[in-house]
């Protein structure tokens, strides 16, 4: 009887990705944390500024004119959480757990801001 081939599943041709060092993971996470914080603060300040600017005076008797929101605004409002979610997924696939957690938290905060922006623009 002929013996089966000696190569097994462990010696496949697909190379296995090495995990980046923990130091690189933490450095990238800190860098992204600073950038994410700037984006969140800017988005929050713009939300407050636009909300205050668009609020009509209670003493005003003029009805509020309905205004259309440009498609580009909707793409930005909902594009940022989508890009953040993609970034979290990519960092998880790159086996960078600290950075993936930071990006996942950023995704949650961006989604919350996007919902707030949407409610403000539709009201």
């Amino acid at each position: 009887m002929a013996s089966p081939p000696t190569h097994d599943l462990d010696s496949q041709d697909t190379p296995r990705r090495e995990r980046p060092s923990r130091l690189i993971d933490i450095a990238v996470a800190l860098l992204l944390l600073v950038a994410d914080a700037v984006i969140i603060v800017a988005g929050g300040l713009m939300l407050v500024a636009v909300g205050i600017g668009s609020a009509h005076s209670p003493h005003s008797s003029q009805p509020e004119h309905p205004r259309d929101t440009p498609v580009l605004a909707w793409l930005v409002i909902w594009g940022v959480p989508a890009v953040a979610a993609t970034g979290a997924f990519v960092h998880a696939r790159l086996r960078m757990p600290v950075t993936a957690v930071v990006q996942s938290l950023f995704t949650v905060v961006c989604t919350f801001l996007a919902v707030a922006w949407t409610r403000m623009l539709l009201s």
Side-chain angles (χ1 to χ4, degrees):
M1 278 193 135
S3 65
T6 57
H7 65 281
D8 54 49
L9 296 176
D10 292 336
S11 63
Q12 291 180 350
D13 292 335
T14 58
R16 189 175 170 153
R17 283 190 200 150
E18 286 192 31
R19 186 180 166 286
S21 72
R22 182 70 61 171
L23 183 62
I24 291 174
D25 186 20
I26 292 172
V28 171
L30 288 175
L31 181 69
L32 288 174
L33 183 66
V34 170
D36 295 346
V38 169
I39 292 169
I40 290 169
V41 168
L45 288 176
M46 285 180 13
L47 180 68
V48 170
V50 170
I52 289 174
S54 66
H56 64 283
S57 173
H59 303 295
S60 173
S61 62
Q62 297 175 351
E64 186 71 23
H65 292 48
R67 56 186 185 270
D68 292 332
T69 305
V71 174
L72 183 61
W74 292 114
L75 288 176
V76 170
I77 289 170
W78 286 101
V80 172
V83 169
T86 304
F89 177 76
V90 167
H91 285 102
R93 293 286 296 160
L94 290 174
R95 299 173 60 190
M96 299 175 75
V98 177
T99 306
V101 168
V102 167
Q103 288 302 100
S104 298
L105 292 174
F106 178 62
T107 301
V108 170
V109 173
C110 283
T111 304
F112 174 75
L113 281 175
V115 169
W117 269 100
T118 301
R119 290 177 54 103
M120 183 189 69
L121 289 174
L122 293 178
S123 65

